[in-house]
Every structure is written in structure tokens, then in C-alpha cells.
Amino acid sequence: MTGDSLTSAATTPATAGPAESPSGPAPATPAAATRRRFVGGALGAGAVALGLGTAAHAAPRAPAGGTGRRVAVFGAGVAGLTAAQELAERGFEVTVYERKELGGKSRSIPVPGTGTGGRRDLPGEHGFRFVPGFYHNLPETLARIPAADGSGSVHDHLEPLAGVLYSRIGGREDLQFESNPDGLPSVEEFQRFLIALFQQFTALPAHETAFFARQMAVFATSGDLRRNGEWEQTPWMEFLRAERMSEEFRKMFAEGMTTHLVASRPDVASTRATGILSELYFYALAGRGSTGYMGRVLDGPTSEVWIAPWVARLRALGVRFRVGWAVEELRPSGGRIAGARVRDPQGRLHDTEADWYVCAIPVERARALWSPALRAADPALARMDRLRTEWMNGIQFYLDRPTPVINGFVDYLDSPWALVSISQAQNWARDLPAGYGDGTVHDCFSVNIARWDTPGVLYGKPARECTREEIAAETLAQMRAALEDTGREVLPEAHIRSWHLDPAITFPGGEGGTAENDEPLTVSSVGAWNDRPEPATAVPNLFLASDYVRNTLSCATMEGANETGKRAVNALLEEAGSDADACPVHGLYVPPEFRLLRTADDVRYRLGLPHVLDLPWP
């Protein structure tokens, strides 16, 4: 979930990344790595897990046996900053070029002119930041970034969420699930839960619930061969037989697992990618393969708590930043990248040279860099043209009173625009009215909009065709239709002070025209795994790091971006002949009791047989 969309002080999972599998990316440790590098990386990961020390505070190590130390990193999102940190800690000279702002989609976006009396501007964002319990690579990095106030690491500033609220319309009670509630529910809350549960069972036929459980069992025990073969080529809608099911089934299990979480439509979303994300959520809720919580959020605006301390750490390691500089061309020569052309904030073009290049910009911008010569050198770069993007952008509403709703996120399953929200102030360790805005704002409702092509309830227009004001009014109307349909008043107009729409949404033709999006998300459509490149390209000194690069989640996530940043560095170290430790990379959790079943399914798949549980359903 952006906004990413979706851990405890011990960040490392019980199991580290597995060896290469047909459905997974390259191994965590390069195949030709020395035993010293492998052992060193493993010991480093263990030290982080046990709280004995972190690599972030070790002295940089000079690369050995390499052809050069200069690295140009294009893009300062999670992937680019991850690569910069890992390289700088290993003694490389790193320069990061970023066309917009440090932090990419994960940064905070101050609302200009809203701070008065010495207060900061109100914090806006592309979408709320959520760290699910099944993330392990990103938390490992967060644990190695010193906090701004000196109180441990950024990881120590993650606050656990209790659960999720499925908010329904038409007078239905909202269904609330909490994995770690603060206390026993009141009599009224318990009564509402029972009503919601009864209404859910009434709306969703029992045989459809059983079928969904059967399909999840099929996927959970499918081997890597079937996942990467049959399920990669099967749309999630088809896997669930959703066209034969009720509307409630489609909302809960088809769209709820795709559009609402990662902006991908269920009719085009890959079963492989969607199934992996779904099973990990269920494992995390059950306390398996996770850090013990459903998920966490930072205890303040992202840039203050995470991005600014991260940049400070990188500067201390010698990383140089060129903000407002955009890469426009890569110049190949002699089978390598000989240089790059970048445009500075004043619009002037510059030629820059480095020994190594890490491209960590989004897919829609990266593929524009691939010249015919580069595409010929590596066909995987040309296949990136087939990768699909969708929109998931945020809007924040600022209220003059605390409005927590739930210590977790709210999923508006019936909303035409596939809304999901978090009430942020309840998790922020700061006095919001004293420190931000004009002193009257006590809460920030951050809302992700994941469906921009469906007509709304107020104006009958899709979000793409609405003005900013119409988007705000329409979003509020859809939230109120769900939160306030049983008699409660949650978002009264009198308590809404202002709102802020992600500035990536622009109107080149003026308000009232069709909107454009400067920051879309890569989605995992059917067959997209085969179009995703590896971190190492066929050009020896060019590496890729972004969530469109092959990673274990294969969705637009901070976890995927962080993982590919580390994998790109590992590939670079291998090519450079460096004896520095490889970055430890964690694989997906697999329940031990499923391992034998998955191996057996690999055998059946090789024989051309269906999954043993995939039988006709009455």
C-alpha cells in the first residue's frame, strides 16, 4: 500500500532470504561472493537482529580490486537512498541526482503558507506511510539510521497499529478487526461488532467464503514453479472465479486485495503477485513470519522522522546530493555507460561521469532513457515498455479536533474511488496544533484514492475529470457515506479546517480539464514478472533499483524499493570485484509446514498436473 503504501525493535525475521527460486529474484548474496563476504553479511544481519550493533555506525570500507569508486545514483526515493547508503558505507564516492525532492514518493510535502506564528507548514504527503508486519528489508535499514533527536534509530519511532476497519454504506455496521487491541471493547462496541459480523455473513454466501479459503490454501501450498508459471499468467479475478460470485465477494476479496491495496485492477492483476501479498497479510495477522504486529506507522511526518535523518546520515558518510537535477540521457560507449547528461534547476545541461551508474528513478522515466543502443545491448530494458502503471495518490483533511476512528486504517470497501484512510495524529509523538499550521489543527485524515476512472457519488464524474475542490468534496462524501450511515457524526463540515491534494496531480489544461499524474505506481499485471528487469543489466556498469525491478513482493512498495536498492549494490560489488560485505536481503516467509507441500506441487507442475487441491467447485 502506498501511501504504499502497508515492526518491533528486533527487525530481522526468523529466517533470512532463501536461495534462488524460479519465482524469486537473485540470491541475497551474489553467487561468486567470497566466504568472508557471505559470513560477514550474515553476522552483520545477526548483529542488527540482536541489537548488538549496526553497520550504519561502522567505518566505510574501501572497495578492493575494483576499477573505480565513483557512483552516480539517479533518483532519491527509497531505492536510491538505500543504494547510496549501502555504497557509501562500503567506501564508494556517491553522488545522488534527484529531479524533485529527497525521499521521492515517501517524502512529506509541506502545505505552503499554512504555518503561522513560527509554526511549521502543515504536513502533506503523496500518501500515508504504512509498514506492514511482513516487511523485513526496510525495517533493517530503518534500524541503521540514527534518529534526529538522538533517541536510538528511526526504527524506534515506529508505532504499532491495532487493526483495520471495513467501513460499509447503506446502514451496515462497520466491521472492525484488531490484532493487538488496547483493551476490552465496551458493551456498545461489542454489540456493533456482532451486528457487523451478522450482516457480513448475511451478505456473503457461506459457500463463497469457503471457496475463497480453498483458493488461498491452493496458492499457499503452490510451489515456485506454479507461481511463476500458471499463477503469473492468471488474472486474480479468474483465479477467484469472481465473475460467478456475488458483488460482496468481489468487493471483499477481488478488489479489496488489489485496487484498495496496490491500485491494480483485479481483472489484470497477476495472481502470483496478489496471492503473495494476500498470504503475507494473513500470516502477519496470525503472528506468523512478521514482527508481531499487523503493521506500524512513523510517529511523525515522514520527512521529519525518517527522510531528514537519513539524508543527514548519508551526508555524514560523504554522499553528495544534487536536488533539482534530472537525468536526461545515458551515453553508452565501448559497451559501458561513458557518461550521463543531466539538467540542473536552472535548465542548463551538464555532462557527468562516474565509474558506476545506479538508475533508481520510476519506470515511466527510466525507460525514456533507454536509447536504441541500450535496448539492443539488453533486451530486458526494452521489455520494460510493457510494464503498466496506475494511480494511487493521497489527499489530507485537517480537522480542529482529534478524530481517531480506529488505531489502524479504514478501508471503504463500497467507495467508488477505492478509498483507504488513516487518522494520523493519534500516532504522532508531537503537539500538532502547537507545532504546525495556525494552531487550530488537531488531526490529519490522510486518504489514498486508488480508483480514478470511476464516477463518484456527488458529481457523477471520475476523479480524473474533477477539479481539486470537487475531488476533496467527493472524497469526503464517500467517506461520510460509510462512516456516518449508522447515526454517528465523524467528519462534520464545521470541524474541517482545510485539505491538501498531492501536488503530483496536475491540470495542464486548467481546472475542469483532465488531470495528469506525475507520480503513478507500477502494478503487477498478468505476465509482468517476465517484463521486470534484474538489478544487474547487460551493460556492466549500469544497475537498476526501483520497485519495478524484480523483487520478492513484486508490488509498488517501500519494501520492494529497499530490497532492489540492496540487490543493485550487491550486483555492483560483484562487478567491481569488491570484497566488501554484501547487503543482507531477506526472502519471503514460508510456513515450515507448507515447505514439503510446495515441493510436491513443483513435481506435479513439471508433470503437467493441476494443484492437488484445485478441484471442481460445486
Side-chain angles (χ1 to χ4, degrees), residues 245-408:
M245 303 297 181
S246 64
E247 181 181 2
E248 185 73 8
F249 181 94
R250 290 192 291 273
K251 287 181 178 178
M252 286 287 294
F253 302 131
E255 296 178 1
M257 298 291 186
T258 54
T259 311
H260 290 245
L261 293 181
V262 290
S264 184
R265 288 173 20 207
D267 58 328
V268 300
S270 155
T271 291
R272 175 189 174 277
T274 308
I276 287 173
L277 195 65
S278 301
E279 69 177 351
L280 290 177
Y281 267 111
F282 285 123
Y283 294 154
L285 285 171
R288 302 287 298 275
S290 76
T291 56
Y293 295 98
M294 180 199 73
R296 293 188 168 215
V297 292
L298 292 165
D299 65 0
T302 310
S303 288
E304 293 179 32
V305 179
W306 173 20
I307 303 301
W310 201 2
V311 171
R313 170 62 183 159
L314 296 183
R315 291 188 192 279
L317 289 169
V319 175
R320 296 179 293 272
F321 292 95
R322 300 288 184 267
V323 181
W325 293 60
V327 58
E328 296 195 354
E329 181 185 358
L330 297 177
R331 294 186 287 103
S333 178
R336 300 172 66 86
I337 301 298
R341 178 156 289 190
V342 294
R343 190 176 296 276
D344 69 17
Q346 288 72 44
R348 298 170 300 202
L349 286 172
H350 302 260
D351 289 323
T352 184
E353 293 183 0
D355 301 302
W356 311 99
Y357 298 84
V358 177
C359 183
I361 61 179
V363 64
E364 70 278 3
R365 297 188 179 276
R367 57 194 174 199
L369 297 176
W370 311 147
S371 65
L374 286 174
R375 289 167 180 261
D378 190 346
L381 300 179
R383 290 197 296 271
M384 285 171 51
D385 291 341
R386 298 198 291 260
L387 293 175
R388 183 185 182 117
T389 61
E390 296 286 355
W391 293 19
M392 179 183 274
N393 298 69
I395 184 170
Q396 291 79 51
F397 296 95
Y398 304 99
L399 294 88
D400 64 4
R401 67 177 186 180
T403 312
V405 182
I406 183 177
N407 181 22

Side-chain angles (χ1 to χ4, degrees), residues 378-519:
D378 190 346
L381 300 179
R383 290 197 296 271
M384 285 171 51
D385 291 341
R386 298 198 291 260
L387 293 175
R388 183 185 182 117
T389 61
E390 296 286 355
W391 293 19
M392 179 183 274
N393 298 69
I395 184 170
Q396 291 79 51
F397 296 95
Y398 304 99
L399 294 88
D400 64 4
R401 67 177 186 180
T403 312
V405 182
I406 183 177
N407 181 22
F409 60 87
V410 182
D411 192 339
Y412 304 84
L413 282 174
D414 304 302
S415 58
W417 289 1
L419 306 178
V420 181
S421 73
I422 283 185
S423 305
Q424 293 184 314
Q426 64 184 320
N427 298 110
W428 284 357
R430 53 208 358 92
D431 189 329
L432 192 59
Y436 302 86
D438 61 2
T440 65
V441 173
H442 287 256
D443 210 341
C444 173
F445 240 82
S446 189
V447 189
N448 285 343
I449 303 172
R451 193 185 292 123
W452 290 75
D453 294 315
T454 303
V457 299
L458 278 185
Y459 306 104
K461 297 190 295 184
R464 288 178 188 261
E465 299 176 12
C466 291
T467 65
R468 291 180 177 85
E469 288 74 17
E470 288 172 342
I471 291 173
E474 181 74 62
T475 302
L476 277 174
Q478 293 182 31
M479 294 168 66
R480 286 171 176 148
L483 292 172
E484 300 182 351
D485 61 325
T486 55
R488 288 170 292 183
E489 189 178 51
V490 181
L491 297 169
E493 195 67 38
H495 291 288
I496 297 176
R497 300 290 301 173
S498 60
W499 52 267
H500 173 256
L501 180 66
D502 181 2
I505 301 298
T506 60
F507 298 85
E511 291 279 345
T514 302
E516 294 186 3
N517 189 352
D518 190 52
E519 296 182 348

